[in-house]
């Protein structure tokens, strides 16, 4: 592209649609390719070819589908791939033998332009496709050909597609890549995709426009990386919201696009962020997590009901109330919306969640503990001693941040119970909330006291109950008692200087690198009325993050 003076830019990059524009100055041609899902098994692309030339311009597009098959994920004994000209003009099939899966790709004119399709090409790599496109004969791969190093089978199917652009005109192609478990199903999905592509694109566009009509954007004197970074973050966040599937009813937060699963802590932080753009959806997603959970501790779980976080002794785990402070995040949602119906639905699940921690994660003397470091969210942290994996049992340690978060969570539940009690209207059943208010206030008082007892020599320390020693580690998460509003005034005064220059996290992570730690640190700094220092910490975190995601060059990470 550089050699021919071409430029490639993306003016559109949302959850729903990716568009890339390439200008080819030598031929006065601009190519635009807009990709989106037409439906679950059909990927669409609208290709626009435009010219400003004063004479006709012949253009050939090569529509390529490259597939990498990993035989090791299959239950079949033999593995081959074949390619066929499709039964419809301008289509090609790539099939797996003997498994049956088939992929169909092909194009149709969207505006009545005459389109001519050349003979299908079938090669291994993209480099081979480039050679073939120059008219040089490339042998077709034999059916079982594979990479020696991996065993993978890579194939590329090429459809040449030619149009003649009239002077100062454009031509539009609709392209679909469809998949199915058979040739018949894949072809039917391709045909349906071609018919539905314009409607699907219009629906995606409307969804994007609706979201951005309400979502916050930066304007004025902000760095360009911040202006774009906020958009990147919100669009990525939109991508993690998954539709109802399997055991999960309603929209849910997948946490990561490549390995979606429910994780309460990250979901709560995500929904707090999403609530600035779509508070109604954010509120519903949080309810989905509590109401679809198969156990009261909201284990990390995939949509098929399988658990993603099982400790070395078989305990089924979910993240603790100190990681991302999920109930605190819910409180911010409640303050933003004032939706009593939502709070009434949230309360039973939130209450059961904290009760589970009180019933199943207390040692013999009543202190809160983690089953394993995965539960803490601070995987294999050095705070917890030697570990083989994040599932290693670490019930010997009494963590400061966990005691503080139980106090915070209980105080929030007490305040919610009080609000629900004041608005209770069911005359057929006695008001259950006064008893809850007293219970949760008692728990909050108990763990406030426990947290304060962990203060030694000007710092909050974890305690090893087996060795009966106080930990010498200083960790940014030890500032949780301030964020959770359980530290006393003397303790706060002694920690003020540390808030501006905090210790590292887990003896390796910078304190401004892991979002739940950042929330603890900046939230604590703001809570003790140090706005200048809190703003400086927030600036450092956001600026480094947005500059990295907005960079045109890869950084060391």
């Amino acid at each position: 592209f550089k050699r021919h003076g071409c430029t490639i830019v993306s003016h559109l990059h949302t959850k729903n649609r990716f568009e890339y524009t390439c200008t080819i100055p030598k031929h006065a041609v601009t190519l635009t390719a807009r990709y989106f899902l037409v439906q679950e098994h059909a990927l669409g692309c609208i290709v626009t070819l435009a010219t400003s030339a004063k004479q006709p311009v012949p253009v050939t597009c090569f529509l390529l589908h490259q597939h990498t098959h990993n035989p090791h994920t299959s239950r079949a004994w033999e593995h081959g791939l074949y390619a066929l000209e499709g039964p419809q003009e301008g289509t090609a099939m790539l099939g797996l033998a003997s498994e049956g899966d088939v992929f169909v790709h092909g194009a149709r004119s969207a505006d009545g332009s005459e389109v001519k399709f050349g003979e299908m090409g079938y090669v291994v790599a993209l480099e081979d496709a480039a050679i073939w496109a120059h008219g040089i004969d490339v042998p077709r791969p034999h059916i079982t050909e594979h990479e020696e190093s991996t065993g993978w089978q890579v194939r590329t199917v090429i459809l040449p597609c030619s149009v003649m652009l009239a002077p100062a005109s454009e031509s539009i192609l609709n392209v679909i890549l469809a998949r199915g478990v058979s040739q018949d199903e894949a072809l039917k999905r391709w045909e349906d995709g071609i018919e539905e592509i314009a409607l699907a694109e219009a629906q995606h566009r409307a969804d994007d426009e609706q979201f951005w009509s309400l979502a916050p954007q930066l304007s004025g004197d902000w760095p360009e990386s911040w202006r774009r970074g906020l958009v990147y973050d919100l669009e990525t966040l939109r991508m993690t919201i998954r539709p109802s599937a399997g055991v999960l009813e309603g929209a849910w937060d997948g946490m990561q696009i490549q390995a979606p699963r429910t994780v309460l802590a990250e979901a709560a932080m995500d929904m707090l962020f999403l609530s600035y753009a779509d508070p109604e959806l954010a509120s519903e997603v949080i309810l989905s997590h509590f109401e679809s959970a198969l156990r009261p501790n909201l284990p990390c779980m995939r949509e098929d009901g399988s658990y993603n976080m099982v400790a070395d002794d078989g305990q089924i785990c979910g993240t603790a109330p100190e990681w991302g402070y999920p109930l605190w995040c819910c409180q911010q949602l409640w303050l933003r919306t004032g939706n009593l119906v939502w709070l009434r639905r949230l309360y039973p699940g939130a209450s059961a969640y904290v009760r589970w921690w009180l019933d199943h994660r207390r040692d013999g003397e009543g202190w809160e503990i983690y089953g394993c470091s995965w539960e803490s969210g601070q995987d294999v942290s050095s705070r917890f001693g030697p570990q083989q994996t994040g599932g290693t049992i670490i019930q010997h340690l009494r963590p400061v941040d966990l005691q503080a978060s139980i106090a915070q969570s209980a105080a929030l539940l007490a305040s919610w119970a009080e609000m629900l009690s004041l608005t209770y209207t069911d005359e057929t059943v006695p008001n259950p909330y006064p008893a809850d208010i007293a219970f949760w206030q008692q728990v909050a008082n108990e763990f406030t006291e426990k947290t304060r007892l962990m203060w030694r020599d000007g710092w909050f320390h974890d305690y090893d109950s087996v060795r009966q020693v106080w930990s010498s580690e200083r960790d940014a998460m030890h500032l949780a008692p301030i964020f959770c509003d359980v530290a006393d005034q003397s303790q706060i005064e002694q920690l003020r200087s540390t808030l501006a220059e905090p210790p590292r996290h887990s003896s390796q992570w910078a304190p401004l690198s892991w979002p739940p730690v950042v929330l603890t640190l900046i939230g604590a700094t703001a809570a003790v009325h140090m706005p200048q220092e809190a703003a400086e910490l927030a600036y450092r975190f956001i600026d480094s993050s947005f500059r990295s995601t907005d960079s045109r060059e890869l950084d060391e990470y």
Side-chain angles (χ1 to χ4, degrees):
F1 289 101
K2 289 180 180 177
R3 187 169 69 250
H4 291 279
C6 300
T7 59
I8 305 175
V9 296
S10 175
H11 295 295
L12 178 69
H13 194 184
T14 74
K15 164 203 169 183
N16 293 315
R17 300 175 296 157
F18 296 169
E19 181 180 280
Y20 305 96
T21 300
C22 177
T23 59
I24 304 128
K26 179 179 178 182
H27 301 289
V29 168
T30 299
L31 179 147
T32 302
R34 179 179 298 176
Y35 296 88
F36 50 91
L37 279 179
V38 176
Q39 43 98 338
E40 181 70 14
H41 300 284
L43 177 66
C45 180
I46 296 176
V47 177
T48 303
L49 296 161
T51 182
S52 57
K54 294 183 172 59
Q55 66 281 342
V57 180
V59 178
T60 299
C61 285
F62 294 93
L63 310 178
L64 294 93
H65 166 220
Q66 185 179 64
H67 186 80
T68 302
H69 175 61
N70 180 1
H72 305 297
T73 65
S74 169
R75 293 185 295 273
W77 292 341
E78 295 177 308
H79 305 271
L81 283 90
Y82 63 88
L84 299 172
E85 299 271 5
Q88 301 272 10
E89 184 190 25
T91 64
M93 287 185 170
L94 179 68
L96 276 64
S98 60
E99 294 193 346
D101 290 354
V102 173
F103 300 83
V104 175
H105 82 291
R108 286 288 181 271
S109 170
D111 57 5
S113 303
E114 184 182 2
V115 181
K116 295 182 179 179
F117 295 96
E119 183 181 346
M120 179 190 78
Y122 183 43
V123 298
V124 173
L126 292 178
E127 293 81 2
D128 300 327
I131 295 169
W132 182 90
H134 280 88
I136 302 170
D137 187 46
V138 177
R140 285 194 167 200
H142 60 76
I143 191 163
T144 59
E145 189 166 324
H146 60 272
E147 293 181 350
E148 291 297 329
S149 58
T150 63
W152 293 355
Q153 296 173 311
V154 181
R155 300 290 189 274
T156 303
V157 181
I158 317 149
L159 273 177
C161 173
S162 299
V163 298
M164 179 65 73
L165 295 181
S169 70
E170 70 175 23
S171 179
I172 301 174
L173 299 173
N174 289 336
V175 188
I176 292 286
L177 169 64
R179 64 186 177 189
V181 297
S182 68
Q183 292 182 9
D184 298 341
E185 184 179 69
L187 183 61
K188 179 66 165 60
R189 287 175 172 167
W190 183 87
E191 292 170 339
D192 290 345
I194 282 290
E195 291 296 321
E196 299 165 4
I197 188 169
L199 176 61
E201 202 277 338
Q203 290 172 337
H204 286 315
R205 185 191 321 121
D207 183 46
D208 289 337
E209 290 173 354
Q210 170 64 19
F211 179 82
W212 283 107
S213 70
L214 300 173
Q217 298 183 60
L218 299 179
S219 61
D221 191 22
W222 291 94
E224 285 295 291
S225 62
W226 284 48
R227 183 178 63 78
R228 290 188 290 262
L230 182 62
V231 175
Y232 302 153
D233 275 7
L234 283 168
E235 287 293 354
T236 304
L237 178 55
R238 291 178 73 199
M239 285 186 177
T240 68
I241 308 301
R242 310 286 294 178
S244 178
V247 300
L248 300 171
E249 297 182 6
W252 53 286
D253 183 290
M255 180 182 168
Q256 292 177 326
I257 294 166
Q258 81 284 4
R261 61 198 189 280
T262 62
V263 184
L264 176 61
E266 279 78 358
M269 294 183 73
D270 280 352
M271 291 311 100
L272 176 55
F273 184 21
L274 183 64
S275 70
Y276 286 98
D278 192 340
E280 185 175 341
L281 177 59
S283 300
E284 281 302 312
V285 169
I286 281 293
L287 288 180
S288 292
H289 279 253
F290 279 100
E291 294 177 348
S292 295
L294 302 184
R295 296 185 174 212
N297 63 323
L298 279 72
C300 298
M301 181 178 71
R302 305 176 190 91
E303 67 265 32
D304 64 357
S306 61
Y307 295 113
N308 167 245
M309 206 161 78
V310 180
D312 292 359
D313 63 353
Q315 293 185 80
I316 296 170
C317 301
T319 43
E322 109 297 341
W323 195 240
Y325 307 97
L327 267 60
W328 179 88
C329 291
C330 290
Q331 170 73 353
Q332 310 315 304
L333 279 174
W334 153 242
L335 292 174
R336 182 160 296 146
T337 64
N339 187 334
L340 268 173
V341 175
W342 176 80
L343 187 64
R344 195 169 287 114
R345 283 179 61 190
L346 173 72
Y347 181 81
S351 176
Y353 168 71
V354 180
R355 284 182 184 272
W356 186 92
W357 278 87
L358 294 171
D359 294 341
H360 296 276
R361 286 296 183 265
R362 298 181 82 168
D363 66 15
E365 297 180 17
W367 295 81
E368 283 287 316
I369 53 175
Y370 300 120
C372 60
S373 65
W374 283 334
E375 251 183 1
S376 74
Q378 303 164 54
D379 304 356
V380 203
S381 169
S382 56
R383 291 176 60 190
F384 309 125
Q387 301 156 78
Q388 288 184 304
T389 72
T392 297
I393 306 307
I394 57 168
Q395 296 179 352
H396 62 286
L397 196 80
R398 298 171 181 173
V400 172
D401 42 347
L402 182 54
Q403 320 305 317
S405 71
I406 292 290
Q408 179 197 58
S409 299
L412 289 171
L413 286 166
S415 71
W416 294 349
E418 184 174 5
M419 176 61 66
L420 295 172
S421 179
L422 290 171
T423 56
Y424 190 75
T425 57
D426 188 348
E427 297 180 358
T428 64
V429 179
N431 187 340
Y433 294 110
D436 279 9
I437 297 169
F439 173 77
W440 289 121
Q441 194 55 61
Q442 179 184 350
V443 172
N445 293 340
E446 176 190 350
F447 281 90
T448 296
E449 182 62 26
K450 276 183 161 63
T451 304
R452 291 176 179 178
L453 290 173
M454 304 185 83
W455 179 263
R456 291 287 187 282
D457 302 321
W459 192 257
F460 286 105
H461 292 269
D462 300 324
Y463 183 72
D464 186 329
S465 62
V466 172
R467 296 170 55 220
Q468 297 187 334
V469 295
W470 294 94
S471 171
S472 60
E473 282 210 27
R474 293 198 171 199
D475 192 287
M477 287 301 289
H478 289 155
L479 299 168
I482 302 179
F483 175 77
C484 295
D485 195 27
V486 296
D488 66 29
Q489 197 57 42
S490 171
Q491 293 163 347
I492 290 171
E493 291 304 319
Q494 294 182 64
L495 290 174
R496 281 187 182 276
S497 60
T498 308
L499 289 168
E501 292 296 332
R504 297 181 71 81
H505 173 51
S506 302
S507 297
Q508 52 180 321
W509 291 96
L512 292 175
S513 60
W514 209 243
V517 183
V518 176
L519 173 59
T520 303
L521 172 59
I522 298 177
T525 308
V528 297
H529 309 296
M530 296 171 59
Q532 187 66 38
E533 291 82 357
E536 177 64 28
L537 290 167
Y539 166 78
R540 285 164 52 191
F541 176 64
I542 295 169
D543 187 59
S544 62
S545 175
F546 283 171
R547 277 192 293 105
S548 176
T549 56
D550 190 52
S551 173
R552 271 38 180 179
E553 302 293 334
L554 294 175
D555 62 24
E556 60 179 310
Y557 300 110

